[in-house]
Amino acid sequence: MSQKSSRQKNEQARLKILSLVLVGVGLLVFGAVALVMLPKPNSIPESEVEDSGQGITPARLNEPAPDLKLIDLKGRQVSLEDYRGKVVLVNNWATWCPPCRAEMPILETYYQEHKDEGFVLIGIEAGEPADEVEEFVENYGISFPIWLDPENKAITGFRNMALPSSYGINPDGKIVLAWTGAVTLGSLEEYLTPLLEE
């Protein structure tokens, strides 16, 4: 494949992802407006409805993580299944995504604080060339594993086109937490850290 057609293919993929992100953001805004306009049910305690200033509250799930097999920045084949028995946070992101860039220092801080507790953070980059991703990782001082996803298998597997998005996976390989949008350190500590203490 020529360099020109490769660039065209990358540009088409980038435009496709960008359009999906815009649709996702639009749906989030619509959902937020609808949530504000709906009355709060009396049966749910106030503490469970509000976020307490900790950032986005994750959705609570209980479903199998996708069977992802990708390539890391060193060209090695990697699999999510290899991390069974650990608490894993998967972060879907892209180098061109401003909220993704903004949350990278938060993810790195959380990773450094918990990596010795049976915790793994995996950043899955949505489609950019390896050299661009490597330069980004170096510039941001990222030490957690970064996987390349030129075919957007992670976005498809987690059934969420929005970037960034993050998924807490328990040692049994089940997705138990899902964030759409940038995470905060407070939110990770409040919701993900208890999984490390189980």
Side-chain angles (χ1 to χ4, degrees):
M1 184 183 299
S2 72
Q3 190 174 7
K4 184 176 179 182
S5 79
S6 175
R7 282 188 182 161
Q8 287 174 337
K9 185 177 177 184
N10 283 340
E11 187 61 30
Q12 288 172 345
R14 183 179 293 159
L15 290 172
K16 181 179 177 184
I17 292 172
L18 182 57
S19 66
L20 292 172
V21 168
L22 291 174
V23 168
V25 169
L27 289 172
L28 283 172
V29 170
F30 177 79
V33 169
L35 188 62
V36 168
M37 295 178 74
L38 290 173
K40 292 180 183 174
N42 294 330
S43 60
I44 300 176
E46 192 72 12
S47 61
E48 292 182 25
V49 175
E50 293 184 354
D51 184 56
S52 309
Q54 296 296 307
I56 297 171
T57 301
R60 293 192 183 272
L61 305 173
N62 185 20
E63 59 186 59
D67 182 22
L68 288 177
K69 291 179 177 67
L70 297 169
I71 302 294
D72 69 12
L73 277 177
K74 295 182 179 174
R76 298 175 298 204
Q77 186 165 16
V78 286
S79 170
L80 203 49
E81 182 67 27
D82 294 340
Y83 295 94
R84 184 67 64 93
K86 294 182 179 288
V87 173
V88 178
L89 181 69
V90 171
N91 175 254
N92 287 336
W93 67 285
T95 59
W96 47 264
C97 162
C100 302
R101 293 197 299 265
E103 77 175 351
M104 279 298 158
I106 292 165
L107 294 171
E108 178 64 25
T109 297
Y110 188 83
Y111 175 67
Q112 288 298 327
E113 289 176 0
H114 297 284
K115 66 181 181 178
D116 297 326
E117 301 171 32
F119 170 69
V120 177
L121 196 161
I122 300 168
I124 302 180
E125 206 286 333
E128 294 305 295
D131 57 340
E132 287 182 29
V133 178
E134 203 161 0
E135 182 180 353
F136 181 98
V137 165
E138 189 176 317
N139 289 340
Y140 277 75
I142 297 168
S143 62
F144 53 86
I146 298 293
W147 297 0
L148 302 172
D149 190 10
E151 297 173 5
N152 296 310
K153 292 178 181 177
I155 288 173
T156 303
F158 285 102
R159 300 188 308 277
N160 186 353
M161 300 297 175
L163 295 175
S165 56
S166 300
Y167 305 91
I169 301 170
N170 72 13
D172 296 327
K174 296 283 183 77
I175 305 168
V176 293
L177 299 168
W179 287 265
T180 297
V183 297
T184 63
L185 199 53
S187 183
L188 290 172
E189 291 290 1
E190 183 175 352
Y191 298 103
L192 189 62
T193 301
L195 293 180
L196 300 172
E197 297 166 353
E198 291 179 359

